[in-house]
Amino acid sequence: MISWLIEENSYDKDKISANGNKFLIGNGYLGIRGTLPEYEKDQFVAINLSGIYDQVGNAWREPLNAPNALFTYVEFDGQEYRLPNGEPSTNTLALDYRYGLFKSKSSFGTDKGRLSIEVERFASMVNEHCILMKYSVTSDYDGELNIYTGIDGEVWDINGPHYDEIRYSIQEDVLISNALTHENKDRVCVSEKIKYNFEAKKEKVEKDNKLVRKISIDAKKGFTYEIYKFITVYTSKDCKNPIEESVTLVRNIWDKGYFKLLEEHKREWDKIWDTSEIIIDGDDKAEEGINYSIYHLHSIAPRHSKSLSIPARGLSGQTYKGAIFWDTEMFMLDFFLNTEPDVAKTLLKYRIDTLEGAMKKASFYGYKGAFYAWESQENGYDACSDYNVTDVFTGRPMRTYFKDKQIHISSAIVYGIMKYINRTGDYDLITEGGYKVIIECANFYHNLLLTKVGSEVYELRDVIGPDEYHERVNNNAYTNRMAKFTFESALDVIKMIKENKWKPEEEYSLEELESKFEDASCKIYIPKPEDKTSIIPQFDGYESLEDIEINRLKERLLNDKEYWGGAYGIASDTKVIKQADVITMLNLFHKEYSEEVMLKNWQYYEPRTEHGSSLSACMYALVACKCGMPDRAYPFFLKSALPDILGGGKQWAGLIYIGGTHPASSGGAYMTVVEGFGGIYFEDGVVKARPCMPEGWKSLKFKVSYLNKLYQVNIENNKADIKQIQ
Amino acid sequence: MISWLIEENSYDKDKISANGNKFLIGNGYLGIRGTLPEYEKDQFVAINLSGIYDQVGNAWREPLNAPNALFTYVEFDGQEYRLPNGEPSTNTLALDYRYGLFKSKSSFGTDKGRLSIEVERFASMVNEHCILMKYSVTSDYDGELNIYTGIDGEVWDINGPHYDEIRYSIQEDVLISNALTHENKDRVCVSEKIKYNFEAKKEKVEKDNKLVRKISIDAKKGFTYEIYKFITVYTSKDCKNPIEESVTLVRNIWDKGYFKLLEEHKREWDKIWDTSEIIIDGDDKAEEGINYSIYHLHSIAPRHSKSLSIPARGLSGQTYKGAIFWDTEMFMLDFFLNTEPDVAKTLLKYRIDTLEGAMKKASFYGYKGAFYAWESQENGYDACSDYNVTDVFTGRPMRTYFKDKQIHISSAIVYGIMKYINRTGDYDLITEGGYKVIIECANFYHNLLLTKVGSEVYELRDVIGPDEYHERVNNNAYTNRMAKFTFESALDVIKMIKENKWKPEEEYSLEELESKFEDASCKIYIPKPEDKTSIIPQFDGYESLEDIEINRLKERLLNDKEYWGGAYGIASDTKVIKQADVITMLNLFHKEYSEEVMLKNWQYYEPRTEHGSSLSACMYALVACKCGMPDRAYPFFLKSALPDILGGGKQWAGLIYIGGTHPASSGGAYMTVVEGFGGIYFEDGVVKARPCMPEGWKSLKFKVSYLNKLYQVNIENNKADIKQIQ
């Protein structure tokens, strides 16, 4: 049994950034970093919005943070109590991750006694535009209390400011901020209305880049002064009149009251957990880690949309430009397929709707077909820069090739769509544009195929595989196999079109495509396990790179923040890789390899992997399970499940801040429990399992959805009991 | 009329290194840097040997410097006069480049009067093993004079020491040093014997890493004390008993005497100049520059061998590892073809004899055919490192791709051989192995050809062209055209074999090769001039690089010595190029392009060229002449002719010292005068000219050899008078 509560009981200024991620709440429309109400932009406060972006000058394009209507602090007897200034005598941050409730409690010792401030807040799961907060102040002596609360327009941005203008207004009791973005003149409107359980001596509103009420009270000792904040957020992407909508909604929810809204919110969460909770008997740490991971995925799932995806750092801020990476399809999708297939569909619909952007990108580089954005924003715009890393030695931007050479991105989309239709039996995604995505991705890879003159072997050269430390390599095993998968999928889709006599909008010559993809699928070079060692070379020439232990390699660092990859990074000319690469391929295509090959490659590549990406550990965990080594998998499972609890992970790439939550890692932790330890797989319409549980796990229970039916899975003693329940 | 004398009349310690190059003498077997006899290794003294190399540990493999038997200094009245210590009152360095005579005169003012030291020395053109020096001391007051003279074994090395051991011995009056190299245990033996015009008070020999005589004299004012040094050098590459040979020879020449040897030496130079001197009436600076350039080429021509080539820095030291680059075939060969075809043959024979090394190199990289060494030493060993540049910011070696991606090197060999046979009519070079070189180079390029699946266009990807600032590019125009040239040459050679019914040793299937090379030659992609601009893109995507003026680019430098190329150099992502690239192609294949295309490309690329290589200026000069712009060509001609006189040129690449002479630039200056301004070309057995002389040139006279005949060319008023004279 777990407590569903994560707590942090000491106050440490250095943890403000990490705690912002750890205590994040959200509802897919917005994410609210786990910061205190009195914090400002220097403390990385963010109400991060999904699917809306802005660019200033040539700086990176990134998602918007809304003006912060949670902003609140107190003054007591003329003294401000406003962290991070001063020292609290106690400070607790807590997250009830069952219900997405952020809580905090700070108390301050003064000459006369003690002052306590408590906070509870949530981003409504019932209506994604709503944020609610309860703010309570208690002292054990009488005094003059001023509570300042309102909207802070001094928004934290990495590459901002994004609002050319923020207009503040007041309509009766509603405070309103109306901000206009720089690039597209989008509007972001935040309305706020409060309610309180006391008689204020005076209330007046002040404006100074913030719109803030000053509420003055003759405070009596022992009485808890409570303020309830009702906040709504709308943008011009949501509706025509975001101000009107937000003001109307804020009045409605004000009428309803905090506790009713909280109750509805919790009921919604209970429903969500009903199909997604995982119960592990015998390992509370794992149970907590996996459900906390699932919590994060739920908090950022775009349930409010039919076509939207999840950024690599969720809704925890502007890191990685709020962009969608392959993380979504390859690491998060399985969770949603098993628990909420509609969300999975929304994620993939986003890719179908951004096909045009992918075709434009391909065409920009002189290729046919669809080359999906490495860092996808609205309309499939690729936010990825040609210069993603700053050289710590020169301060210059370094040319990286993530955008133009990491071609495996397109195959991830194909992989996601194929998995969706096979898992749900819902072929609408194919007929509603999925077929075109798949054919155009296959066209893209076909257009990239090279062959030596006189040879029948097709190659993919000058690419980057999942391991980003080795740039511009030839015949990356993962990339080539995924390209082959794309050709195979295109052939499947063409067969479906023919068999079902669908009429695609495009005038494809299906026969021509079929023969082209058939040929490519047969002749594309897939690196084989070496005869003697069974090792699959990650790319051409990998075997002749310097073999050095990671710890010895680290000794070569001249600067902690220097980039390991690129042309001259410490890892570039060595066998040390950033993350699972061949192992990722083996996980996906394990049916094609013997357990021995998987084991030997695991043993070979694992010590050479820095795990510098949060996408690495789960792949090693999954393949370890497939090799019957759950206890070797276990530490990698924890690494996947806990990064946001532990506040670890890389915070820097060169001089670029990359902190935030790790939803792909959460999705990886989920896959490890369900598909690794649980050994669940889907075959011929049947949910099957080959469990492989870590020592100490007495039982493992969860539900999975397959072909529109829901199954309860109970595993004990490595035996699975699988029952259809809906 | 020129004086044939280069002089430097002021003493400047900072010029010691540059003057070592400027006043270099040599005879193809050895080069002697223009340093004073009293200098030691800190002053970059070198008697640099051709064709013999050594490697210590993992350091760069480089040619040997012999122990310095010229070493001599004086002590007068107990005071040493030994530069660079102290200050001379006058100091003159001079080079009589008509006869390869190094001269110096230093005088020192003392309390009592003046002491003068004069030096004259030469590396015999009659016998390449001999070095002669006359050393004279005069004072205008009496005193005790000690002359120290002998062999200095403290040799200057960049990556040494190369002698594990130097044994000194004395046989009667002969001082002998016998040094053993580290890697191959080669022997380098130097013998020295002296003669002098005075009675010595005493002579004794001292040893201390040097073997030095101390000759004591009661010196009388006004008398000139002369010492004649006779020195011989042999290595175990020359003969079985190098000690014996060198001792015997030194005695012989001692018997002959300095003046007779000098006379013979001068007669040999007169013979050499007879076919190679260039007379320019109306421009002494140009006449001096071109004949000084020719002097350098003569001083390093391997006349003593049948199979040896010329390093990129001649015999001026160990820079660039004493290795042979494409410089020889592409920049120096024309001079020897026109003036001494036998030397041209020797240079090319070296390539034929190192074919095995080229085939090994290809095979190492997984290719068929012959991939010649980028930096060729004996047996075609590629001395080029994977790490040629040191990062000035980190001190780390930077991975460069000169060795593995600069594939145009093989085509240079083919180009040289084809030019030799067409120019001399001597087909022996083909039957004696040249045919195999050409076929294997064609096999190499054929093996590298890539094509997009379904395309009929053949590409060469991931290469470096002449411009080294842009690494790993696709379809470099120069490289692709040279590969096509190689296919065409192989077809020519196969035709010769068939027509002449030669029987090659190798069992080539000539028909198969013919159809393969025919196909490749037709389908290889040659970048075309763009429709609107007539600009030929240097490689795929060149046109989309940043266009920035060179001076503005330079402002981005953070460190004077930083490397402009590589992955992150300041030039790498811009259109700024190191040296002529498209222009080099246009010079070679000018018949295929209109004058307009040449002119537009010249105008486009010239301002974008840093001319950071000494191979650049002459190509711009030659193409300018082909566009009828001799006065635009003229400054580039001077740049080619004068680098060693002016002591300019880059001294550093990153942290690596690259100083030395610039024989390719000398060869380029020669081509500019004869083929550019003189407009000489060879067609259908006839020497023809399309002169294009700079303003002020009244006449231009030189001789050229063609098809075993010698022609006198006299040009006046842009009209050429060409007469066969032998």
Side-chain angles (χ1 to χ4, degrees), chain A residues 535-599:
Chain A
I535 304 309
I536 298 168
Q538 186 176 303
F539 49 78
D540 291 353
Y542 175 84
E543 61 284 357
S544 56
L545 295 175
E546 183 188 358
D547 208 6
I548 180 170
E549 276 176 36
I550 291 179
N551 282 334
R552 291 207 33 231
L553 185 64
K554 271 187 191 163
E555 291 166 9
R556 295 184 186 169
L557 284 172
L558 300 175
N559 182 317
D560 276 355
K561 290 183 183 171
E562 70 173 280
Y563 185 51
W564 286 40
Y568 312 120
I570 56 164
S572 309
D573 290 350
T574 75
K575 286 183 173 155
V576 171
I577 62 176
K578 184 179 176 193
Q579 67 196 89
D581 192 309
V582 167
I583 295 304
T584 301
M585 182 194 72
L586 288 176
N587 182 54
L588 299 182
F589 300 98
H590 58 90
K591 284 186 187 168
E592 298 167 12
Y593 297 93
S594 68
E595 196 178 307
E596 195 203 338
V597 165
M598 287 201 284
L599 180 62

Side-chain angles (χ1 to χ4, degrees), chain A residues 387 396 451 562 567-568 573, chain B residues 387 396 556 562 567-568 573:
Chain A
Y387 299 85
R396 289 179 183 149
T451 181
E562 70 173 280
Y568 312 120
D573 290 350
Chain B
Y387 300 84
R396 290 177 182 149
R556 296 184 186 169
E562 70 173 280
Y568 312 120
D573 290 351

Side-chain angles (χ1 to χ4, degrees), chain A residues 67-92:
Chain A
N68 174 24
L70 293 163
F71 182 66
T72 307
Y73 66 94
V74 301
E75 198 180 73
F76 196 61
D77 272 357
Q79 162 85 37
E80 278 186 9
Y81 294 91
R82 193 173 174 185
L83 294 174
N85 302 323
E87 280 293 327
S89 38
T90 68
N91 183 272
T92 300

Side-chain angles (χ1 to χ4, degrees), chain B residues 475-509:
Chain B
N475 296 312
N476 169 254
Y478 175 85
T479 304
N480 285 26
R481 186 60 190 86
M482 287 299 281
K484 183 179 165 78
F485 173 82
T486 302
F487 297 132
E488 292 164 341
S489 302
L491 290 168
D492 287 349
V493 164
I494 291 167
K495 209 170 146 196
M496 287 178 216
I497 295 175
K498 284 174 146 186
E499 282 177 1
N500 295 286
K501 292 183 184 149
W502 294 334
K503 291 224 170 98
E505 282 169 45
E506 279 64 37
E507 298 199 357
Y508 288 127
S509 161

Side-chain angles (χ1 to χ4, degrees), chain A residues 360-535:
Chain A
K360 268 189 203 154
K361 178 177 170 185
S363 161
F364 174 82
Y365 288 110
Y367 306 131
K368 292 177 186 165
F371 185 6
Y372 272 88
W374 183 245
E375 303 185 3
S376 185
Q377 295 183 341
E378 339 88 292
N379 306 319
Y381 171 81
D382 198 338
C384 188
S385 162
D386 283 343
Y387 299 85
N388 277 280
V389 177
T390 301
D391 186 330
V392 294
F393 300 108
T394 62
R396 289 179 183 149
M398 292 164 83
R399 178 69 164 93
T400 46
Y401 294 90
F402 308 144
K403 183 180 183 181
D404 41 344
K405 307 278 181 200
Q406 215 152 351
I407 58 166
H408 66 78
I409 178 65
S410 286
S411 68
I413 318 309
V414 175
Y415 183 82
I417 294 175
M418 293 305 286
K419 202 164 202 174
Y420 176 83
I421 58 169
N422 290 328
R423 200 65 73 72
T424 63
D426 169 16
Y427 286 78
D428 290 353
L429 209 56
I430 290 287
T431 55
E432 288 163 11
Y435 75 92
K436 192 173 168 188
V437 167
I438 292 168
I439 287 175
E440 293 301 346
C441 287
N443 272 333
F444 170 64
Y445 288 115
H446 192 271
N447 193 231
L448 284 175
L449 290 176
L450 290 172
T451 181
K452 284 185 158 199
V453 167
S455 162
E456 288 286 282
V457 177
Y458 295 171
E459 305 182 43
L460 288 171
R461 295 193 172 205
D462 201 5
V463 306
I464 305 183
D467 159 35
E468 290 176 339
Y469 287 165
H470 294 90
E471 293 184 345
R472 310 193 60 186
V473 301
N474 295 341
N475 296 311
N476 169 254
Y478 175 85
T479 303
N480 285 25
R481 186 60 189 85
M482 287 299 282
K484 184 180 164 79
F485 173 83
T486 301
F487 297 131
E488 291 164 342
S489 302
L491 290 168
D492 287 350
V493 164
I494 291 168
K495 210 172 145 192
M496 285 178 215
I497 295 175
K498 284 173 144 186
E499 282 177 2
N500 295 287
K501 294 182 183 151
W502 295 332
K503 293 222 170 98
E505 283 168 44
E506 279 64 36
E507 297 198 358
Y508 287 126
S509 160
L510 296 180
E511 275 66 32
E512 202 180 290
L513 291 176
E514 225 168 3
S515 98
K516 198 166 96 167
F517 297 150
E518 186 72 50
D519 175 69
S521 156
C522 289
K523 292 183 186 161
I524 188 168
Y525 169 62
I526 308 295
K528 297 267 171 307
E530 299 271 327
D531 278 350
K532 280 187 191 161
T533 60
S534 297
I535 304 309

